[in-house]
Amino acid sequence: EADRRGARVDAAARLHSAWPGLLQLGVINACVGLLLSLLVLGSMLGMDTWLAVYAGVGVEDFEADETFLRVAGWMLLLSVPWALASWFAATLVGLHGLRPLDAMLLSLWGCWRNLLPVLCYVLIALLLAIPATLPMGLGWLILGPVLMLGAYVPYRDIYFED
């Protein structure tokens, strides 16, 4: 009993000392998320015309669908590695005291080495997200914590030997 209490106090002390790194990680994630959102928003609100002028293509020869698909493809190409790099990063910063960029690289590496289980987890999470969203999003009160626990188990499997 005393060992468990001591372990909890130790984990709380590590989390308390890791808040600057967690704050930095949050700022990094917010900035990347904002850039990706602006990329998509810009493509929907006229970035096609700007790209047409910038690329030297006449606006009358330019197809908006082509630009939207190109921008959506770039967003997908950039957001997947960002999501993988962010998946375990907060846990690695909070519990192991890693710097945010080191934690993101280690998270990306861990997800890449376990890509098939990560893909299965993401597909199952997406399938569960649909019914969780239907009742005015109230299903997320249950699904959110379940997904958090579901992310902790692979973290333990990837980064610990026991």
Side-chain angles (χ1 to χ4, degrees), residues 9-22 94:
V9 169
D10 185 45
R14 280 187 283 166
L15 281 175
H16 181 71
S17 65
W19 75 266
L22 291 169

Side-chain angles (χ1 to χ4, degrees), residues 16-42:
H16 181 71
S17 65
W19 75 266
L22 291 169
L23 184 64
Q24 291 171 353
L25 184 64
V27 168
I28 291 169
N29 281 331
C31 289
V32 171
L34 180 67
L35 287 174
L36 290 175
S37 298
L38 288 175
L39 184 67
V40 172
L41 184 65

Side-chain angles (χ1 to χ4, degrees), residues 45-113:
L45 295 178
M47 189 173 168
D48 53 349
T49 306
W50 180 81
L51 284 174
V53 171
Y54 182 73
V57 179
V59 176
E60 63 278 351
D61 299 331
F62 193 74
E63 294 206 18
D65 292 340
E66 177 186 322
T67 301
F68 179 76
L69 289 176
R70 188 177 324 127
V71 171
W74 275 107
M75 191 207 67
L76 184 65
L77 188 68
L78 295 173
S79 65
V80 168
W82 168 59
L84 295 177
S86 299
W87 194 335
F88 299 122
T91 308
L92 291 169
V93 169
L95 296 181
H96 297 283
L98 294 175
R99 292 181 305 186
L101 292 178
D102 293 339
M104 291 180 87
L105 288 173
L106 193 58
S107 175
L108 183 62
W109 177 250
C111 289
W112 181 255
R113 288 191 57 205

Side-chain angles (χ1 to χ4, degrees), residues 18 20 37 43 55 78 102-103 108 111 117 119 121 127 146 149:
S37 298
S43 71
L78 295 173
D102 293 339
L108 183 62
C111 289
L119 288 175
Y121 178 85
L127 288 175
V146 169
L149 284 173

